[in-house]
């Protein structure tokens, strides 16, 4: 109503301006009213009812069609697609015994404008299963390349994923919807295009967990499982087993990655490369303009990518497969495969049993990210003049110092400190060394350090039951650390005990998605009991606050003994 009224007022003012009956002063009123109209129209949009059926919901205009498409429309595997960014290809639907495993209410309501009741409809389940392709959808598979484990792997691409379309929600946000595990594409290589239930649950839960930890990430809206069989050799040891196929509906502002540019540069498709980079700037970095736009794009992506890696380090998250094709150009965490959160602290923690050399271990993540950014430099270089390439390298060489600064800043916050002072990283290193020697849990030691006063840290009675601190206290050098920590806190005259502990509670989670927790939920889900998936989603949606149900389930307790036997590989 307000929007209609204000549009009428604006129309009248515009007519008066054309006839010359308004003064210059009135132009200010016009500007104000137009802004007001825009705000009221946005308010009206936000008040629109959420969609309760897929027949009410539709995709927005697919701007990605501006980019070159594969001329071949048939869906068969090809090792060398050329002069294309996407191939048009439809999903292969799951068929047998479809069941909705879980959904994210937040993703549905606040991203997709869907009412949660939509999950009770068969058409929603079929939509996730790839069996209901909307008329407004033009499914695409993205062509990209990448360096995998340090080696150029040539053409890769969406081998089991279909981008269904773009959606602009009520808040004006742009999101791309993608099914993962939805069948073969021209980029499937030797794969079957499917994903299994265990990996789909892990991706669903970790995507949402990372979001609530405050870390930029793709989102997961829902998971559907079927009785359709797929065969997987989970640990590549010659013993394949039959598993059930599943699909995740995942969301991101964009799925473009470093490898999106690498394949075009490597194949000398420079005009297509320029077209893609210009599109990315126009759609996702519109504030970047001018002749130095490619330099500015790299600087923006590079610094935010380092920021992202530092966030991973600070919560103990280890990606597991930091290939260049898994690095987002929108600086969000994507492609959750064999990830893990550090438990008993070890800097060379490797969550991926396929990573025998530990290339992607916890302590090397920032180093690897910098290596990957060097490959992005190489991919952008063909678009630059010689003098600009030198400046591009200068930006790149400055990143290591930037990463060290941000890492120090992040861990300083984990200790409740607010000011940058000399020796801060030495204090952090002292603590991490103690944690390594005592095999103390990464998440809980930082959490529990903020749950007691400095005086109580060296009092075994005061810390009784705080299992991570008890373990840390067993080392002879623990009191030396506490003394150094106390002196550092004293150096910040405005940092009271209350403020320190409040600071730590805000940045140190009590609950993270430990592999044993995910495995427990997966074991139940394999028997069609999805209750623990739902429980974990609920708990991980509020990771910084103590929750009784989580405590009863041991989510903040020492990991069970069997947790040490869990192995996660690239198989999914």
């Amino acid at each position: 109503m307000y929007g209609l009224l204000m549009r009428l007022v604006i129309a009248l003012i515009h007519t008066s301006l054309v006839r010359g009956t308004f003064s210059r002063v009135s132009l200010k009123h016009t500007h104000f009213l137009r802004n007001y109209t825009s705000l009221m129209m946005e308010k009206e949009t936000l008040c629109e009812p959420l969609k309760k059926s897929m027949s009410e919901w539709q995709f927005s205009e697919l701007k990605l069609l501006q980019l070159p498409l594969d001329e071949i429309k048939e869906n068969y595997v090809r090792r060398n697609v050329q002069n294309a960014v996407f191939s048009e290809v439809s999903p292969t639907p799951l068929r047998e015994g479809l069941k909705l495993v879980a959904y994210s209410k937040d993703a549905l309501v606040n991203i997709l404008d869907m009412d949660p009741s939509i999950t009770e409809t068969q058409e929603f389940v079929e939509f996730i299963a790839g069996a209901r392709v909307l008329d407004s959808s033009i499914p695409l598979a993205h062509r990209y390349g990448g360096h995998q484990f340090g080696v150029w792997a040539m053409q890769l691409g969406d081998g089991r994923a279909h981008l269904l379309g773009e959606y602009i929600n009520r808040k004006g946000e742009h999101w791309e919807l993608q099914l993962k595990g939805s069948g073969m594409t021209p980029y499937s290589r030797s794969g079957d295009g499917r994903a299994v239930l265990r990996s789909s649950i892990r991706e669903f839960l970790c995507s949402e967990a990372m979001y609530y930890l405050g870390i930029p990430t793709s989102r997961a809206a829902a998971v559907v499982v079927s009785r359709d069989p797929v065969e997987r050799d989970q640990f590549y040891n010659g013993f394949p087993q039959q598993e059930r196929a599943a699909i995740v509906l995942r969301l991101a502002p964009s799925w473009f990655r470093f490898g999106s540019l690498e394949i075009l540069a490597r194949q000398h498709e420079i005009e297509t490369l320029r077209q893609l980079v210009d599109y990315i700037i126009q759609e996702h970095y519109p504030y970047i303009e001018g002749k130095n736009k490619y330099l500015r794009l790299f600087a923006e992506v590079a610094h935010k990518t380092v920021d992202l890696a530092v966030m991973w380090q600070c919560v103990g998250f280890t990606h597991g497969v930091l290939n260049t094709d898994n690095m987002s150009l929108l600086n969000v965490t994507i492609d959750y495969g064999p990830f893990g959160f550090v438990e008993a602290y070890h800097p060379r923690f490797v969550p991926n049993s396929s990573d025998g050399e530990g290339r992607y271990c916890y302590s090397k993540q920032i180093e690897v990210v910098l290596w990957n950014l060097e490959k992005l430099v190489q991919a952008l270089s063909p678009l630059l003049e010689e003098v600009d390439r030198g400046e591009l390298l200068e930006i790149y060489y400055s990143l290591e110092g930037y990463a060290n600064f941000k890492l120090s800043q992040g861990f300083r916050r984990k200790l409740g400190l607010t000011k940058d002072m000399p020796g801060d990283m030495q204090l952090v290193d002292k603590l991490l060394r103690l944690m390594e020697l005592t095999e103390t849990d990464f998440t809980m030691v930082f959490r529990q350090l903020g749950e007691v006063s400095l005086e109580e840290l060296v009092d075994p009675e005061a810390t009784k039951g705080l299992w991570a601190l008890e373990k840390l206290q067993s080392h002879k050098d623990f009191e030396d650390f506490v003394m150094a920590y106390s002196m550092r806190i004293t150096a910040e005259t405005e940092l009271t005990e209350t403020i320190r502990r409040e600071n730590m509670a805000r940045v140190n989670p009590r609950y993270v998605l430990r592999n044993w927790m995910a495995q427990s939920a997966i074991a139940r889900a394999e028997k069609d009991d999805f209750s623990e998936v739902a429980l974990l989603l609920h708990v991980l949606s509020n990771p910084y606050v103590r929750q009784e149900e989580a405590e009863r389930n041991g989510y903040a307790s020492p990991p069970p003994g069997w947790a040490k036997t869990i192995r996660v590989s690239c198989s999914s």
Side-chain angles (χ1 to χ4, degrees), residues 385-436:
E385 300 294 335
E386 192 65 36
V387 63
D388 292 329
R389 289 174 191 164
E391 192 171 341
L392 186 66
L393 287 174
E394 287 181 17
I395 296 170
Y396 172 74
Y397 290 133
S398 71
L399 293 174
E400 185 175 357
Y402 176 76
N404 291 335
F405 168 74
K406 297 295 285 190
L407 193 63
S408 175
Q409 186 181 64
F411 273 92
R412 185 166 58 247
R413 288 173 179 160
K414 288 182 72 66
L415 288 175
L417 308 172
T418 60
K419 296 182 179 178
D420 180 13
M421 292 189 176
D424 282 351
M425 208 55 200
Q426 287 88 330
L427 178 67
V428 171
D429 289 341
K430 186 187 290 285
L431 174 59
L432 293 177
R433 180 60 177 162
L434 286 179
M435 290 166 60
E436 182 181 359

Side-chain angles (χ1 to χ4, degrees), residues 67 85 256 260-261 264 272-280:
L67 298 169
V85 177
F256 289 129
S260 304
L261 309 187
L264 301 177
T272 302
L273 173 65
R274 188 182 304 278
Q275 187 176 351
L276 175 55
V277 175
D278 286 346
Y279 176 89
I280 291 170

Side-chain angles (χ1 to χ4, degrees), residues 18-84:
V18 171
R19 293 174 179 174
T21 56
F22 261 55
S23 67
R24 288 176 178 267
V25 175
S26 297
L27 290 173
K28 295 181 179 179
H29 300 157
T30 306
H31 180 70
F32 166 77
L33 287 170
R34 280 179 174 160
N35 286 339
Y36 182 77
T37 302
S38 178
L39 288 171
M40 295 311 299
M41 289 175 68
E42 181 179 346
K43 184 177 179 181
E44 274 191 35
T45 303
L46 289 172
C47 291
E48 289 179 4
L50 297 171
K51 304 299 187 289
K52 295 184 178 181
S53 71
M54 293 308 302
S55 58
E56 300 175 28
W57 193 94
Q58 64 180 1
F59 287 100
S60 306
E61 177 189 0
L62 187 59
K63 291 186 177 181
L64 292 171
L65 295 179
Q66 299 173 26
L67 298 169
L69 295 180
D70 183 5
E71 292 181 355
I72 298 176
K73 304 303 179 184
E74 292 80 7
N75 184 14
Y76 63 93
V77 175
R78 282 171 283 133
R79 295 293 299 178
N80 192 24
V81 176
Q82 293 184 324
N83 298 307

Side-chain angles (χ1 to χ4, degrees), residues 30 41 100 124 137 152 160 180 239 247 249 255 270 323 352 385 412 418 423 458 475 511 514 521 533 542 563:
T30 306
M41 289 175 68
L100 180 65
F124 177 79
S137 173
W152 174 245
R160 54 177 174 168
K180 182 176 180 180
F239 294 97
I247 293 178
L249 172 61
W255 293 100
I270 306 307
N323 299 325
N352 182 1
E385 300 294 335
R412 185 166 58 247
T418 60
V458 291
H475 197 278
Y511 312 108
R514 299 169 183 270
V533 177
N542 206 359

